[in-house]
Amino acid sequence: MKTALITGITGQDGSYLAELLLEKGYRVVGIVRRSSTTPYERISHLVDRIELVSADLLDQSSLMDAMNEVQPTEIYNLAAQSFVATSWTQPVLTGEFTAIGVTRMLEAMRRTVPKARFYQASSSEMFGKVQETPQRESTPLYPRSPYGVAKVYGHWITVNYRESFGLYAVSGILFNHESPRRGLEFVTRKVTDAAARIKLGLADELRLGNLDARRDWGFAGDYVDAMWRMLQPDTPDDYVIGTGETWSVRQLVETAFGYVDLDWQRYVKLDPRFNRPAEVDLLVADPSKALRQLDWAPQVRFHQLVKMMVDADLARHRTAPAG
């Protein structure tokens, strides 16, 4: 039986990845930070089938202890300070988790389980002010936020450890991937939740920033399959994962509100507070290498994804207790 160790298991991607690996017969162990609260909502249906160990990306020795105890065959580093907007208000903390935290993980692996296989969650935000369209593995990086800069560090330190120490370490450059488990602070979930609440009479407006920003949005459940596939070949390599399609925030709003028969222009208000200091205008993937070498392709398309998320938010608000 293979053993997978997952950081960020309580997040969107971690919960979908845990489900996938359990289906494949893995022993699944999640690293969680010790805290006074236990935010396990996304994995509540899995807690009796997985193991949890306490460690922290800010604490090198705790990571080494966890790897020594678990002896994983595969390590998935999904944990990060992952909200771009927060990276401007907490840039140093973002760097500690999202950049230096990767080094701590790789160093812990090198010292305790050097034969394991390591997956690093890189991000399309590394492309930022894009140098070519679509973006592929060879596209120059030009991050436009502290989060993007931190992800560039995490990406290159993974390459460096692979080349310097012969570790099996890969980076998945994943474009935006969403689901009903996406945090409410992210624009896709903010939009689908607002459409549901307005439809049910629980809200009367949605405030957004730049409606012209374009993204390549896919389904998180598809993307965790790509993560797993990256760790199966004999030779480690890095891959861009996306749908190859790009949609604007405006089209996202039109799709979500149109699905519940609402005229979005009656409810959406532009609010400059939500504009980024440095905007990333256009992201769209060229995932052809993943298709060619991993036989991976997205299964859920944009309109299906938005409808799935709106349906989930409608169901959640309809069953929520009053008040």
Side-chain angles (χ1 to χ4, degrees), residues 179-284:
S179 76
R181 301 179 193 174
R182 190 57 141 156
L184 285 164
E185 69 272 24
F186 291 87
V187 69
T188 46
R189 187 72 193 292
K190 185 176 177 180
V191 167
T192 62
D193 181 68
R197 287 188 295 117
I198 292 169
K199 181 65 176 180
L200 297 174
L202 301 175
D204 56 14
E205 71 173 21
L206 167 62
R207 292 186 171 271
L208 293 172
N210 181 12
L211 298 183
D212 296 318
R214 301 182 67 87
R215 294 292 184 272
D216 183 331
W217 279 300
F219 173 49
D222 289 342
Y223 287 37
V224 298
D225 176 56
M227 297 177 188
W228 174 79
R229 288 174 187 246
M230 285 181 219
L231 293 190
Q232 307 317 307
D234 292 336
T235 304
D237 205 349
D238 304 324
Y239 297 89
V240 161
I241 301 297
T243 69
E245 299 176 354
T246 185
W247 304 86
S248 68
V249 175
R250 181 177 281 100
Q251 288 171 307
L252 166 67
V253 173
E254 288 172 348
T255 302
F257 279 69
Y259 181 53
V260 290
D261 298 316
L262 293 175
D263 176 3
W264 69 272
Q265 295 182 78
R266 291 181 53 194
Y267 303 101
V268 173
K269 306 288 190 296
L270 296 182
D271 190 331
R273 290 180 303 158
F274 296 111
N275 290 335
R276 294 182 178 187
E279 183 57 83
V280 174
D281 296 313
L282 169 65
L283 293 174
V284 58

Side-chain angles (χ1 to χ4, degrees), residues 19 114 168 247 256:
E19 288 175 351
Y168 193 113
W247 304 86

